[in-house]
Amino acid sequence: MAKLWLGLDVGTTTVKAAAYAPEGAQLAFAEVPSEVAHGPDGSSEQDMAAVRQTVQTALTELVSKCGGSEFESLGIAAQGDGIWCVTRDGAPAGPAMLWNDTRTADDLARLVDAGATDVIGRGCHTSLWSGTSGMLWRWIRANRPGMAENTAYAVTCADWIALGLTGQIATDFSDASIPFLDFRKRVYSSDQIAALDCQDIARKLVMPRRADTALGGVTAQAARETGLPEDLPVSIGTLDLGAMIVGMGMDQPGQTMMIMGTTAVVNILTDRVDPTDAPVGASVLHPTSDTIIRVLAPTTGAAAFDWFAGLHPKSLGGVSAGDVAARMNELVRDVPPGANGVIFLPYLNGERAPFVASDMRGAFHGLSATTTTGDMGRAVMEGAALSLRHCLEAEGGLPTTPVQLTGGGAKNPVWCQIIADVMGRPVLASSAADHGLWGAAALGAAAAGLGDAVSLASKRDEKFESYEPADHDRYAQVFTRYRMISDHHRRLQAGLSALRKERP
């Protein structure tokens, strides 16, 4: 029997581990919840030792489910950004501060207003947010000087986990991308570091390498703690999104992948980005190629669907997400494109792509005395799809190749058809939920010398449902209306926000 490839995905709230046959069949799976500490000040932290223990538990469970099978390799993916501070002897210097920590929001706003972040926008093609390492380092230095003094390495979650398994510390290009990497030179930029007054972090950064590079073997101690074989090859850890894109077999400019999850994400692979002081969204380097992944993430995706269904518990309720989707689909199936004139702006939690406006709010436009629940439900589904198209248009236009779609929305055939019609390109929808794990496993196998990671991942016989566009011309008109209403709504919202600030 062939040796199994192992993949590990260390998320913010869950650690997942899986074992795969070389052709991609998942043979064993383990999942263990992970705790996050949130504070009223916007803090979001994890105990670094506890996260490592959770990983050990997940791996131990996975090994026990593999029934004595032999293993070929282990690949690691994890949540990105934030900052995980490590001492010289490899211990935590303090708690991990996560990607969604907002304690630095006011500090960041001052830097943006002063133009200090422009050089970062030009260097790594990303608009900073509070939970990026440079901003969090500024906070640590000001509020936890002892932690700053004891920090020898400022790394990410994947690096911390890999260190515990191999005793080696490294980072990959995708995790190193934000905020200090100069994409053109592929090295940390002294100008970007200086822009955030973070010169003291420069010597604590680990020079990036490709994620298909061998990091080392599982140590004797880690083998005792997890049941993994000693010296099992482990790859350099990578960003979970990067692993997902590898798992979907993508590494070429022009490829597009969308996630219709709670939030929506458009991922555009490109070999060229025009430098700008204030880019929209984020950019990360591909784990194994020179391709740049442009990441545009509207705040609301399937969450809008869930919100609308929750307003109608009697007609749209159900014991499962599948029941709710089936009932919604029955309502909207016979509603024509454009929802009989109803447009929904999906800005329920503000917006961050293709424009940034935290005070934006959602709205229906075009309601009349004849508007039905089905019209509004279809408008909600269309609004999320139109938001994704808005992101693509902001990045230069609609894709020229089929679009791969994953996430909960990929399991809804009505929604998939709407997305195909809005984009004017075939949508290849996958119901698989393990692309990140499979991508990590393929990266591990590549690091063990078995071949190119994307080629290895592409050998999996994955089932895609294909949706061909049928009403693209009609949706072009709907999108024009959507853009007009969205643009006016942004101006209106700005005026309303100004009024609130003027109140005594």
Side-chain angles (χ1 to χ4, degrees):
M1 180 178 178
K3 294 182 179 180
L4 305 185
W5 302 357
L6 304 184
L8 179 65
D9 187 351
V10 186
T12 307
T13 59
T14 306
V15 173
K16 300 177 183 178
Y20 293 92
E23 69 274 10
Q26 188 183 106
L27 303 180
F29 176 78
E31 182 174 13
V32 182
S34 191
E35 294 186 1
V36 179
H38 296 288
D41 57 349
S43 60
S44 181
E45 298 184 342
Q46 286 186 299
D47 182 300
M48 292 173 61
V51 173
R52 186 176 281 178
Q53 180 59 55
T54 303
V55 169
Q56 292 172 7
T57 301
L59 289 173
T60 300
E61 181 180 336
L62 180 69
V63 170
S64 70
K65 291 180 176 179
C66 288
S69 298
E70 292 189 278
F71 304 129
E72 188 79 65
S73 56
L74 170 64
I76 301 170
Q79 56 173 299
D81 298 299
I83 189 167
W84 298 60
C85 295
V86 181
T87 65
R88 182 67 59 186
D89 60 359
M97 299 178 69
L98 305 188
W99 58 273
N100 56 351
D101 194 300
T102 61
R103 279 174 285 187
T104 73
D106 291 341
D107 185 26
L108 176 58
R110 287 190 291 269
L111 291 173
V112 171
D113 289 343
T117 59
D118 293 354
V119 65
I120 292 170
R122 294 192 298 272
C124 64
H125 312 291
T126 293
S127 287
L128 286 190
W129 65 94
S130 300
T132 47
S133 60
M135 296 307 305
L136 295 172
W137 179 252
R138 288 169 60 92
W139 189 93
I140 291 170
R141 192 174 56 197
N143 295 277
R144 294 174 180 167
M147 179 177 171
E149 184 177 349
N150 290 331
T151 297
Y153 306 101
V155 296
T156 65
C157 179
D159 308 335
W160 166 246
I161 297 306
L163 173 63
L165 290 170
T166 67
Q168 304 296 317
I169 195 159
T171 197
D172 92 306
F173 280 103
S174 67
D175 262 331
S177 295
I178 304 168
F180 298 129
L181 202 67
D182 181 328
F183 279 16
R184 186 173 61 85
K185 297 179 179 179
R186 298 298 202 265
V187 296
Y188 295 118
S189 163
S190 58
D191 290 340
Q192 290 166 232
I193 291 171
L196 299 185
D197 189 26
C198 284
Q199 291 87 340
D200 54 342
I201 204 176
R203 63 182 182 276
K204 306 176 191 297
L205 301 175
V206 181
M207 290 302 297
R209 298 153 67 187
R210 284 170 50 127
D212 55 2
T213 302
L215 175 60
V218 171
T219 65
Q221 178 178 342
R224 290 191 298 270
E225 293 169 342
T226 62
L228 293 171
E230 188 175 350
D231 295 325
L232 178 72
V234 179
S235 63
I236 292 175
T238 192
L239 178 67
D240 50 7
L241 175 64
M244 179 181 288
I245 286 175
V246 169
M248 296 183 82
M250 300 172 64
D251 66 351
Q252 295 300 309
Q255 292 178 313
T256 303
M257 184 267 278
M258 297 180 183
I259 305 170
M260 186 58 84
T262 301
T263 57
V265 186
V266 174
N267 300 289
I268 305 167
L269 276 61
T270 181
D271 57 0
R272 182 178 182 275
V273 178
D274 294 326
T276 179
D277 292 347
V280 173
S283 302
V284 295
L285 296 179
H286 191 280
T288 65
S289 76
D290 292 336
T291 305
I292 297 171
I293 306 167
R294 287 286 293 134
V295 185
L296 301 173
T299 57
T300 304
F305 184 101
D306 297 337
W307 163 79
F308 185 75
L311 297 179
H312 306 273
K314 291 185 179 180
S315 58
L316 294 177
V319 297
S320 69
D323 290 338
V324 175
R327 294 186 183 187
M328 177 84 94
N329 290 349
E330 283 300 314
L331 279 177
V332 310
R333 196 182 307 274
D334 295 328
V335 177
N340 289 316
V342 180
I343 294 286
F344 176 69
L345 302 180
Y347 311 136
L348 299 178
N349 299 296
E351 190 53 288
R352 61 187 178 189
F355 58 86
V356 178
S358 60
D359 60 347
M360 281 284 279
R361 292 296 177 262
F364 283 101
H365 185 276
L367 301 179
S368 73
T370 61
T371 297
T372 67
T373 303
D375 294 338
M376 297 176 73
R378 187 175 184 96
V380 167
M381 298 170 78
E382 290 179 345
L386 293 165
S387 174
L388 296 177
R389 174 167 175 171
H390 196 180
C391 289
L392 288 164
E393 297 279 8
E395 280 295 298
L398 293 175
T400 57
T401 58
V403 175
Q404 295 195 46
L405 179 69
T406 188
K411 301 176 184 179
N412 186 321
V414 173
W415 212 348
C416 290
Q417 186 61 54
I418 289 172
I419 295 171
D421 290 339
V422 167
M423 300 301 165
R425 292 291 179 271
V427 165
L428 305 178
S430 171
S431 60
D434 67 339
H435 291 113
L437 276 169
W438 172 234
L443 286 164
L450 299 183
D452 172 74
V454 171
S455 297
L456 293 172
S458 298
K459 291 180 180 179
R460 181 160 77 164
D461 184 20
E462 186 166 340
K463 303 300 182 184
F464 289 95
E465 290 291 334
S466 180
Y467 297 85
E468 295 290 331
D471 280 307
H472 182 58
D473 289 343
R474 295 173 72 181
Y475 271 112
Q477 299 173 18
V478 175
F479 180 69
T480 298
R481 292 174 51 228
Y482 172 88
R483 281 294 312 273
M484 182 181 297
I485 294 168
S486 175
D487 292 345
H488 281 283
H489 192 67
R490 289 172 65 185
R491 291 192 288 271
L492 173 62
Q493 190 67 60
L496 293 173
S497 298
L499 282 178
R500 283 196 296 270
K501 293 177 181 179
E502 293 173 2
R503 289 175 183 172

